[in-house]
Amino acid sequence: MADRPVRGTPAWLRETNDRTALSLLLEHGVLTRSRIGELSGLSKPTAAQMVSRLETAGLIHVVGEVSGGRGPNAASYAVRTDRMLGVAIDIDATVLRSTVVDAAGGEHPIAVTPLAARTPEDDVRAAVDAACSAAGVGSDRVRAVCIGVQGALDPRTDELTYIETLPGWPKQGILRRLEDALGLDVHIDNDANLAAIAERADGAGADTGGFALLWMGDGLGLAVDQGGAVHRGASGGAGEIGYLPISREAAALDPDAHDLQDLVGGPTVARLAAAHGVPAFGEPDATGAPGAGSPGAGSSGVDALIAELAPRVAVGVVPVLALLDPERIVLGGPTGRAGGALLAERVTALLREQWGSPTIVATGVPAHPVLRGAREHLLGEVRGALFAEVSRITV
């Protein structure tokens, strides 16, 4: 990237103004030159110059006209969202879900690609191509991908750990391998961490100083948000709570359980759900949101299932309360979403006597939390790339 102009110089002022105009268009969508001037507090001639530079650089374009009464209609402008794109990817045990991310944060279709016996680069390339095809955009526009995995990446060694669900993926050098093969910026993160980013953006953690997300899916995970930053630990493996052994007292809930994964992991929840006649508990519906089972929430089967799940989930919440004492605990993942407010209320009631009144709530992200978290990460990447282009056009 070119050197930034010296503060206070005409070039610096032009770049600052251009960044302001681009920010306003990203925030408000479609604007006229006059409206950009009003929102920025700059004169109409200066606003016209900003728009002209951004349009010439291909960062914005005319999308219509707005009638202003007397005189000619005013052109309206928007950011060129196809200029730079990202692709968010969520990988589970069987499929890759992917969706395009643009600078405006628009919604795009979610593509589903089978996780085949391929190389990691083939898996990711197939997911990128599928997302771009679904969105009707060219994959050559993609600059970065963010991949959510059921595991952890050590940033010091580029080593994947806890990746039993990714057969064929190497543990060592995965980030460099993907970036070299795909020619893209690649970010890999734990699925629970990305889900926490989604909760912070527009879910149950949006209005908190910090929170903990207990992710309950095929595996268990814990993500800790501290003032908007996710704590990942030195090796990237913070929050692998499923491996925590359970106490002798908790073992009375399930004599065959040795750790939290055994007690409330996906296979156990599926077995309990089938026994209560709600085999679809936690399975996604047409929107991708985990449902509460075919009989429907409020049925005797669902109520009985949640009554059995609540003390198991409470065992997993206790170490979170003891070690972190978070402002709020969010129950997420397929089990947390399907259990909803009722499961959160039952868990709270079980812990109230010993732990006072902990705030335990259900996830506030309706569907695809891992993808939405990856999307939030990429939104910053894509917008950052656009602003870097502003620096390049400053002369």
Side-chain angles (χ1 to χ4, degrees), residues 115-200:
L115 184 62
R118 297 176 290 215
T119 64
E121 47 267 44
D122 286 341
D123 282 329
V124 175
R125 186 179 291 110
V128 169
D129 289 343
C132 291
S133 177
V137 299
S139 57
D140 60 319
R141 298 287 186 176
V142 176
R143 297 291 182 268
V145 295
C146 180
I147 307 170
V149 299
Q150 297 178 359
L153 178 71
D154 189 331
R156 304 167 302 181
T157 62
D158 194 11
E159 179 182 6
L160 278 173
T161 54
Y162 313 110
I163 56 165
E164 293 82 359
T165 58
L166 289 175
W169 281 51
K171 289 188 175 182
Q172 298 285 349
I174 182 62
L175 201 61
R176 177 175 294 180
R177 175 171 169 174
L178 287 174
E179 289 185 333
D180 289 347
L182 302 173
L184 303 173
D185 292 331
V186 178
H187 178 75
I188 298 175
D189 207 345
N190 174 260
D191 53 359
N193 289 341
L194 291 175
I197 292 174
E199 295 288 354
R200 163 63 69 178

Side-chain angles (χ1 to χ4, degrees), residues 201-256:
D202 53 10
D207 59 347
T208 67
F211 65 94
L213 169 68
L214 181 60
W215 177 266
M216 297 177 288
D218 290 335
L220 294 186
L222 180 72
V224 180
D225 173 290
Q226 298 173 314
V230 176
H231 175 71
R232 293 177 173 84
S235 67
E240 293 294 340
I241 197 172
Y243 297 95
L244 191 67
I246 60 176
S247 67
R248 182 179 303 174
E249 180 179 296
L253 295 169
D254 189 336
D256 295 325

Side-chain angles (χ1 to χ4, degrees), residues 211-394:
F211 65 94
L213 169 68
L214 181 60
W215 177 266
M216 297 177 288
D218 290 335
L220 294 186
L222 180 72
V224 180
D225 173 290
Q226 298 173 314
V230 176
H231 175 71
R232 293 177 173 84
S235 67
E240 293 294 340
I241 197 172
Y243 297 95
L244 191 67
I246 60 176
S247 67
R248 182 179 303 174
E249 180 179 296
L253 295 169
D254 189 336
D256 295 325
H258 300 286
D259 54 29
L260 287 177
Q261 173 67 27
D262 294 334
L263 197 64
V264 72
T268 297
V269 173
R271 173 174 55 81
L272 295 175
H276 286 285
V278 283
F281 186 87
E283 293 184 4
D285 60 19
T287 69
S294 52
S299 72
S300 58
V302 171
D303 288 346
L305 172 60
I306 290 178
E308 186 169 357
L309 282 177
R312 293 169 178 259
V313 175
V315 172
V317 170
V318 165
V320 181
L321 289 170
L323 295 175
L324 301 174
D325 187 24
E327 181 178 333
R328 182 175 299 172
I329 294 178
V330 181
L331 303 184
T335 299
R337 175 62 188 172
L342 180 58
L343 178 60
E345 291 166 5
R346 294 280 179 86
V347 173
T348 302
L350 290 169
L351 297 172
R352 184 172 291 123
E353 181 176 349
Q354 182 178 359
W355 296 95
S357 299
T359 301
I360 303 172
V361 300
T363 173
V365 181
H368 301 297
V370 179
L371 274 183
R372 298 197 74 83
R375 181 172 170 269
E376 285 297 318
H377 171 85
L378 286 170
L379 194 57
E381 294 274 325
V382 173
R383 289 183 173 181
L386 281 178
F387 284 116
E389 288 293 299
V390 172
S391 298
R392 292 189 180 97
I393 68 173
T394 301

Side-chain angles (χ1 to χ4, degrees), residues 32 34-35 38 44 64-76:
T32 63
S34 176
R35 186 59 178 151
E38 292 173 2
K44 289 184 179 181
E65 293 184 341
V66 176
S67 174
R70 294 182 179 180
N73 292 341
S76 56

